[in-house]
Amino acid sequence: MSNGSNIELGNLEIYKQIVEHMTESLWIGDHENNTMYINSVFCRISGYDSEEIIGRNYTDFMDEKSLINIGKIQKNKDESKTIKYETKIKTKDGNMIPVLCSGTFTQNGGTVLTVSDLSEVESLKQAEMNLINLNKTKDEFISIVGHELRTPLTSIRGYLSMILDGDMGEINEQIRKSLNHTYDSSIRLINLVNDVLSIGRIESGKMEYNMKDIKISEIIESIHRDIDLEMKTKKINFKVKIDKELDDAIINTDKDKLKQVFLNLLTNSLKFTKEDGDITLKISKKKNKARFEVIDTGIGIPKDKLDILFTKFSQVESSMQRQNDSGLGLGLAICKNFINQFGSDIKVKSEVGKGSVFYFELEIKK
Amino acid sequence: MTKKLLIIEDDKVLNEMYALKFEKEGYEVESAYEGLDGVSKVASFNPDVILLDLMMPSMNGFETLEVIKSQTSSTCKIIIFTNIVDKEKINKAIEMGADDYLIKADTTPKVALEKVEAHLKEAELEKEEKGVKYIYPGVNHFRIKNPHGGEDIDVEINVKM
């Protein structure tokens, strides 16, 4: 530090400017607790002008009972301790404002107090409580709306499935084709509602995980069964490659949720991969972990969109995606949350025009 | 023998849809649109299996389940039929004596039918294990397993009406 700075710091005006501009209010009193100095923040809180209060005793504008604390400050002089206590300021217009005082002594037996307005803290606390309540109402709203939507959707899906199963008699091919589309749309709508409910449960901490030891091959077979037809319908070359040494490998996971992750990733790949394209589900051994990869030769994701991909309601617009196929952008956020819950993280590599790889690793139990 | 199903579900459309499916499959179906009506039909209809909704006005599924379990002698299978995905609530119903559950939005009538059939088969096996199937008026012959091991025991029961 240069000599010049030292001279400036020694200047009383500098200190005056500092205390005038500090965010907390300041009161300095003499050995008889008469006011020697207050800063502008103290004036704002108390409603008094500086001239009205200089010379007046602490007990004129502070709760008398708190005078005992000034005694404590002076008593602890030798230990150089700061004493903190809560009390109230009697403002000029007769209000009592809760404050937190933080006091220390001066060389000549006086006291310096920094005084924080607790009513401001309380209003912040109140605002925080309001936000918490609002969030709770939002969660309840999502839950109720979700359930109310699911009931009519159940009958739409149910009746359609009965007609398609032939319960209502024979139907011609054209009607079957149209009803198949309607049925698929009802499933998509149910899945959207389920996604909204899932996010709601994840955010309110109510999502339950049913962790069990399960064979990797068992989960993969079940996914294969569920998605194979859709892959064939869209003329996609779908392959499942699993390392031989993982044949009997066991992981500890929530089977249904892990399955949901794979189906979500594979359905996404399906959306963005053209006919005759390739989608591969690859599982390989990496030390004591199993690495799961969903690889496609789809349109790929631009670099600047990779970061937002896993945040909720994020969507990467694309000409390949039909308007009614766009979804809510919740699927990947849910996937990430599930994989995080399994103690891992989901990642993506992608190149526009070439394809994408979504991957994560889970620990092998044996 | 015709299998008997009682549907306790306040949503009329859903109730009718499931009734239609099970009737087509040869079931005798009775519908109740509220819990209390459901309880009285358990006694009068004597179903083999019940599909029980949880969220119903006035008397909800839990209360209905409690009354069925405590006030009637029915040993029928009870399958909770709900859109509540809260595992805690479903577990509570299972603890109260329900045999299984179905999430409505994730189920088609065909899936519900498969589940009901599986439970009825299980109930049938349970009865067989106990060594008693049906008893008719007149002389009934049974062969039951010897609980102490060894050869099976032949039983003859003469039922007089």
Side-chain angles (χ1 to χ4, degrees):
Chain A
M1 204 178 276
S2 72
N3 283 341
S5 314
N6 278 332
I7 291 163
E8 278 173 31
L9 281 174
N11 185 340
L12 199 63
E13 271 308 303
I14 294 289
Y15 290 112
K16 214 173 163 190
Q17 272 183 30
I18 292 170
V19 293
E20 278 302 316
H21 289 98
M22 57 195 266
T23 49
E24 279 168 323
S25 64
L26 191 75
W27 174 86
I28 302 176
D30 64 14
H31 65 286
E32 285 179 329
N33 302 322
N34 294 319
T35 308
M36 291 167 67
Y37 174 80
I38 56 169
N39 70 354
S40 56
V41 188
F42 194 97
C43 294
R44 183 172 59 76
I45 296 175
S46 64
Y48 290 106
D49 287 336
S50 187
E51 301 80 44
E52 290 176 289
I53 222 165
I54 300 283
R56 284 176 68 182
N57 194 268
Y58 176 88
T59 50
D60 288 351
F61 49 88
M62 298 295 271
D63 188 354
E64 296 86 359
K65 280 179 276 177
S66 67
L67 193 60
I68 188 170
N69 293 292
I70 302 285
K72 280 184 193 163
I73 292 167
Q74 292 302 327
K75 238 187 191 170
N76 280 287
K77 216 182 228 178
D78 298 335
E79 291 168 40
S80 299
K81 268 203 323 206
T82 305
I83 302 282
K84 285 187 178 183
Y85 61 95
E86 283 185 30
T87 182
K88 283 180 177 138
I89 288 186
K90 293 182 259 184
T91 65
K92 193 178 173 183
D93 50 15
N95 288 326
M96 299 291 273
I97 295 179
V99 287
L100 175 71
C101 295
S102 193
T104 183
F105 61 92
T106 63
Q107 296 291 341
N108 53 3
T111 310
V112 179
L113 291 179
T114 51
V115 184
S116 313
D117 186 351
L118 284 181
S119 63
E120 280 177 16
V121 176
E122 264 162 26
S123 69
L124 272 178
K125 267 189 198 160
Q126 189 56 46
E128 196 191 351
M129 278 306 293
N130 289 345
L131 269 179
I132 289 169
N133 287 335
L134 197 64
N135 202 33
K136 218 172 140 194
T137 312
K138 181 207 74 183
D139 288 344
E140 278 164 12
F141 174 76
I142 288 175
S143 171
I144 290 166
V145 171
H147 289 127
E148 289 307 311
L149 282 173
R150 280 157 70 94
T151 303
L153 280 169
T154 306
S155 38
I156 291 171
R157 181 191 181 182
Y159 270 116
L160 283 170
S161 73
M162 281 171 73
I163 298 169
L164 286 165
D165 285 346
D167 286 340
M168 316 289 188
E170 284 292 306
I171 49 169
N172 70 37
E173 247 340 274
Q174 203 184 345
I175 294 177
R176 175 170 297 279
K177 218 173 155 187
S178 311
L179 287 183
N180 265 326
H181 288 313
T182 321
Y183 183 75
D184 288 346
S185 297
S186 75
I187 297 279
R188 213 162 61 220
L189 200 48
I190 289 172
N191 288 341
L192 289 178
V193 174
N194 286 349
D195 278 356
V196 172
L197 285 172
S198 287
I199 276 288
R201 281 208 303 281
I202 286 171
E203 290 192 340
S204 59
K206 284 185 187 156
M207 183 57 88
E208 294 145 355
Y209 295 87
N210 186 16
M211 304 296 280
K212 277 186 181 153
D213 287 353
I214 184 155
K215 264 190 179 179
I216 294 175
S217 53
E218 206 175 295
I219 301 175
I220 301 301
E221 271 166 32
S222 147
I223 293 157
H224 201 168
R225 267 200 309 275
D226 283 3
I227 198 103
D228 204 39
L229 183 67
E230 227 176 310
M231 293 285 184
K232 280 186 181 133
T233 315
K234 248 200 98 180
K235 294 186 178 126
I236 297 285
N237 306 310
F238 176 53
K239 287 189 202 96
V240 177
K241 290 181 184 170
I242 177 161
D243 266 5
K244 267 243 167 303
E245 52 183 328
L246 288 176
D247 269 355
D248 293 316
I250 286 173
I251 49 172
N252 186 267
T253 189
D254 181 319
K255 186 180 91 181
D256 293 335
K257 293 195 173 58
L258 184 60
K259 204 172 146 185
Q260 196 179 331
V261 170
F262 282 122
L263 290 178
N264 203 305
L265 295 177
L266 289 166
T267 314
N268 273 350
S269 288
L270 254 173
K271 269 190 216 165
F272 299 107
T273 306
K274 287 181 198 153
E275 236 179 72
D276 293 326
D278 298 321
I279 296 178
T280 309
L281 173 56
K282 189 178 163 197
I283 304 103
S284 49
K285 196 163 185 278
K286 298 272 170 208
K287 289 180 187 168
N288 61 337
K289 287 182 177 172
R291 184 186 176 98
F292 299 86
E293 291 168 276
V294 173
I295 309 160
D296 68 48
T297 55
I299 56 166
I301 305 150
K303 269 208 167 72
D304 61 324
K305 302 283 190 232
L306 287 176
D307 285 345
I308 59 154
L309 214 54
F310 295 102
T311 44
K312 59 180 179 175
F313 302 116
S314 70
Q315 306 223 341
V316 182
E317 281 167 34
S318 125
S319 54
M320 261 197 77
Q321 203 172 359
R322 297 197 319 271
Q323 193 64 41
N324 64 351
D325 217 12
S326 57
L328 291 174
L330 291 176
L332 285 176
I334 294 170
C335 287
K336 186 181 166 63
N337 235 295
F338 286 172
I339 297 298
N340 288 162
Q341 192 68 33
F342 303 153
S344 185
D345 201 10
I346 189 164
K347 289 181 180 141
V348 60
K349 287 186 284 193
S350 189
E351 203 175 320
V352 174
K354 289 204 168 169
S356 309
V357 184
F358 285 83
Y359 61 100
F360 56 89
E361 291 176 356
L362 296 177
E363 204 167 305
I364 300 167
K365 266 198 102 179
K366 46 184 167 175
Chain B
M1 230 164 95
T2 318
K3 291 163 276 189
K4 288 159 99 179
L5 169 76
L6 171 63
I7 306 172
I8 310 175
E9 159 70 62
D10 66 316
D11 188 279
K12 206 163 176 281
V13 179
L14 269 188
N15 198 321
E16 279 174 10
M17 180 175 85
Y18 277 85
L20 186 64
K21 177 70 185 178
F22 280 87
E23 273 166 4
K24 281 211 165 287
E25 299 296 331
Y27 279 70
E28 192 181 338
V29 181
E30 191 72 52
S31 290
Y33 299 97
E34 53 181 55
L36 200 60
D37 187 30
V39 173
S40 72
K41 277 178 175 153
V42 171
S44 63
F45 180 60
N46 192 22
D48 299 303
V49 61
I50 300 173
L51 285 182
L52 173 63
D53 186 18
L54 282 184
M55 275 168 86
M56 291 186 289
S58 66
M59 190 175 178
N60 68 32
F62 295 108
E63 292 157 345
T64 308
L65 180 61
E66 199 181 345
V67 178
I68 291 172
K69 285 285 165 188
S70 62
Q71 312 278 311
T72 73
S73 57
S74 174
T75 54
C76 70
K77 294 282 176 185
I78 300 175
I79 299 173
I80 295 299
F81 193 50
T82 182
N83 261 336
I84 295 176
V85 276
D86 190 342
K87 266 273 163 63
E88 236 173 72
K89 287 192 176 144
I90 289 168
N91 286 341
K92 183 182 161 196
I94 302 282
E95 272 167 30
M96 286 171 72
D99 295 279
D100 208 340
Y101 72 95
L102 278 167
I103 304 292
K104 288 191 261 189
D106 301 334
T107 309
T108 59
K110 196 177 162 187
V111 174
L113 176 76
E114 285 165 4
K115 189 156 257 188
V116 166
E117 297 267 280
H119 276 285
L120 286 177
K121 208 170 172 186
E122 192 185 295
E124 197 61 36
L125 282 172
E126 279 169 13
K127 271 185 196 166
E128 271 179 33
E129 270 173 23
K130 282 178 191 161
V132 179
K133 278 186 182 172
Y134 302 105
I135 296 178
Y136 301 100
V139 180
N140 296 260
H141 294 280
F142 298 103
R143 172 164 287 187
I144 60 167
K145 279 208 169 86
N146 185 340
H148 306 293
E151 279 185 22
D152 291 350
I153 304 166
D154 285 311
V155 181
E156 189 180 293
I157 300 170
N158 192 356
V159 180
K160 288 174 186 165
M161 296 290 282

